[in-house]
């Protein structure tokens, strides 16, 4: 999978891809990340990418031209399955969306700033708008990194144990069951006996029951 991320703060996107699972995915050639500095498409000597909002009011708006030129440039090199804008008024990101996106070949992720981007870009260029939750961040870089992490770990071959993504929360509309590791007793707090029994079938049953219990308690909406 190839992901182009358009941003005015490329440095904000260095670290997330330089460690852990995303780093490994890139090293294995399962994902390529190209961070595009929007400033290179800025207008005039100041490399301007934003301007005052028509109609007045506080806050700058990201201009059409630099973003349109940048996307056109990228499109001249490959076909994109989705051009995604990270925005708090987009559809809330879910595991379902991540599963679908993980099957795509090429996507663009556009990070907004200030008051957001000129609406006409959303009408004519953007094919999908994603929010990472009902709160407002200063820019789209952290949301873009969240999206990439959630999607890239689902690409076959990225996680060592392939089944581990399948047993994560939300994959079957259930939350994950509780997990434990050594020592079996700490401070008098014991690990449930069943997990030490060695009976794989019973352990699986227990985990499934726990997942259902936990979901009923914490996220009954998922069971509907
Ligand atoms: N004025 C806008 C918020 C702009 S925040 C509004 O009220 O809707 C600046 C940028 O940060 C946005 O363009 C978007 O790219 C990013 N952003 C902020 N919060 C986000 C969220 N919850 N999900 C995805 N992107 C977000």
């Amino acid at each position: 999978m190839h992901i182009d991320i358009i941003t005015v703060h490329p440095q904000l996107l260095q670290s997330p891809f330089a460690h852990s699972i995303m780093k490994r995915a890139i090293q294995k050639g399962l994902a390529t990340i190209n961070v595009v500095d929007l400033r290179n498409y800025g207008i005039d000597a100041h490399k301007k990418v934003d301007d005052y909002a028509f109609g007045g009011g506080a806050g700058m708006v990201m201009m059409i031209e630099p973003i349109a030129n940048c996307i056109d440039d990228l499109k001249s090199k490959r076909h994109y399955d989705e051009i995604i804008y990270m925005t708090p008024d987009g559809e809330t990101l879910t595991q379902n969306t991540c599963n679908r996106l993980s099957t795509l070949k090429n996507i663009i992720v556009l990070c907004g700033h200030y008051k957001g981007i000129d609406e006409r870009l959303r009408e004519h260029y953007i094919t999908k708008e994603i929010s990472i939750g009902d709160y407002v961040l200063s820019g789209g870089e952290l949301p873009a990194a969240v999206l990439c992490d959630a999607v890239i770990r689902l690409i076959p071959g990225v996680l060592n144990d392939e089944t581990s993504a399948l047993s994560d929360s939300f994959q079957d509309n259930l939350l994950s069951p509780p997990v434990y590791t050594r020592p079996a007793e700490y401070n008098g707090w014991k690990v449930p006996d069943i997990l030490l029994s060695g009976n794989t079938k019973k352990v699986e049953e227990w985990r499934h029951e726990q997942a259902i219990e936990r979901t009923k308690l914490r996220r009954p909406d998922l069971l509907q």
Side-chain angles (χ1 to χ4, degrees):
M1 180 178 205
H2 177 86
I3 307 176
D4 287 284
I5 309 178
I6 304 174
T7 170
V8 284
H9 290 299
Q11 318 84 299
L12 275 177
L13 287 160
Q14 296 307 311
S15 175
F17 299 103
H19 305 277
S20 184
I21 288 168
M22 288 209 277
K23 175 186 178 184
R24 205 162 69 214
I26 293 165
Q27 281 174 342
K28 284 188 185 168
L30 297 169
T32 54
I33 306 289
N34 177 38
V35 177
V36 185
D37 189 347
L38 186 64
R39 216 36 92 174
N40 295 334
Y41 295 86
I43 287 166
D44 70 36
H46 295 103
K47 296 285 172 198
K48 207 160 107 105
V49 294
D50 59 322
D51 210 332
Y52 295 100
F54 277 130
M60 305 295 276
V61 177
M62 291 178 78
M63 303 167 77
I64 297 184
E65 244 184 296
I67 294 174
N69 289 342
C70 179
I71 295 177
D72 287 343
D73 206 9
L74 292 171
K75 274 178 158 176
S76 70
K77 292 171 212 144
R78 5 172 103 71
H79 166 78
Y80 287 95
D81 303 304
E82 293 283 10
I83 301 178
I84 301 169
Y85 173 47
M86 303 310 299
T87 176
D89 60 1
E91 70 172 74
T92 306
L93 185 61
T94 62
Q95 194 64 32
N96 258 340
T97 306
C98 294
N99 286 336
R100 195 183 71 74
L101 292 177
S102 74
T103 65
L104 302 182
K105 210 162 162 255
N106 300 309
I107 63 171
I108 292 176
V109 181
L110 172 62
C111 307
H113 253 276
Y114 321 112
K115 291 303 281 181
I117 64 174
D118 190 302
E119 187 67 19
R120 290 165 290 181
L121 283 162
R122 301 174 67 164
E123 289 162 6
H124 299 288
Y125 272 88
I126 302 301
T127 62
K128 193 171 187 60
E129 301 189 323
I130 295 179
S131 163
I132 62 159
D134 287 350
Y135 40 84
V136 175
L137 297 157
S138 345
E141 288 75 15
L142 298 178
V146 166
L147 175 70
C148 289
D149 186 318
V151 169
I152 288 173
R153 66 197 295 283
L154 296 173
I155 299 172
V158 169
L159 297 183
N160 282 334
D161 180 359
E162 295 251 2
T163 56
S164 112
L166 296 177
S167 65
D168 280 338
S169 289
F170 309 115
Q171 279 302 6
D172 43 12
N173 279 332
L174 289 178
L175 299 179
S176 269
V179 292
Y180 301 85
T181 186
R182 276 182 280 259
E185 185 172 341
Y186 178 83
N187 244 354
W189 309 329
K190 287 191 178 151
V191 166
D193 285 337
I194 184 87
L195 296 178
L196 308 175
S197 69
N199 185 335
T200 352
K201 189 163 167 285
K202 282 262 184 292
V203 168
E204 273 323 301
E205 280 168 16
W206 181 85
R207 287 195 171 138
H208 188 64
E209 280 161 23
Q210 290 290 315
I212 292 172
E213 274 318 300
R214 186 158 280 206
T215 311
K216 270 189 198 157
L217 206 64
R218 300 186 181 197
R219 292 293 305 275
D221 56 300
L222 293 176
L223 295 169
Q224 270 140 38

